[in-house]
Amino acid sequence: MDPKEKKVKEEELNVEETLNNAEEQPQDEQAENAAPMTHEEELEKELETAQETIEEQKDKYLRLSAEFDNYRKRTMKEKAELILNGGEKSLSSILPVVDDFERAIKTMETATDVKEGVELIYNKFMATLAQNGVKVIETKDQPLNTDYHEAIAVIPAPSEAQKGKILDCVQTGYTLNDKVLRHAKVVVGE
């Protein structure tokens, strides 16, 4: 007999045995054997669904992580650029005042009265600072406030009303948007 024919006959015998065994078993047993297979198939489907969900979530996580990393790098770059060029607006607004100083220096070579020109430049410069949020800390006849003033000397007050008040300002103090840039150095009466 040919090996192919032999194989076909063996398969036919296996099929007949399976059918005979199935007929011999009661219907309940067949149902019991079929139920675990469907239960296993359900579990396999659930496992596949869970694995697909895990893969989707993993993909979302990786994308979100990459997106956040790009955001962090971009904001760090923007912050570094802001720190580097943050004073650009203020400095460009001061340049016209520098131009006025240059003209005043040239004029001082020939002119004898330059006080008025220097006062104009000073006023223009202070106005430019005020536009950029810089203000002078008031000191004249003010009580000492250590948040804004630094007492560098204490002298006897000329009158009782001036005790504890500022008598003289040695160096002007400035604030930038209500934050102290430099404390005013003052002389206080005692």
Side-chain angles (χ1 to χ4, degrees), residues 119-168:
E119 285 177 353
L120 287 173
I121 294 171
Y122 174 77
N123 291 335
K124 184 176 183 178
F125 188 68
M126 294 307 290
T128 302
L129 288 176
Q131 288 173 354
N132 286 292
V134 177
K135 294 179 184 170
V136 174
I137 295 174
E138 291 297 322
T139 57
K140 188 171 184 176
D141 296 326
Q142 298 288 320
L144 180 68
N145 182 347
T146 55
D147 291 338
Y148 298 103
H149 308 119
E150 180 183 344
I152 58 169
V154 178
I155 61 170
S159 69
E160 217 33 57
Q162 290 182 329
K163 282 189 177 183
K165 291 194 176 182
I166 297 170
L167 300 177
D168 189 22

Side-chain angles (χ1 to χ4, degrees), residues 103-114:
R103 283 193 285 278
I105 290 170
K106 284 182 183 177
T107 305
M108 286 174 67
E109 293 172 1
T110 57
T112 54
D113 186 24
V114 292

Side-chain angles (χ1 to χ4, degrees), residues 25-40:
Q25 291 180 349
Q27 291 291 334
D28 292 340
E29 279 187 26
Q30 287 180 355
E32 286 178 9
N33 287 340
M37 292 187 83
T38 58
H39 183 68
E40 286 178 8

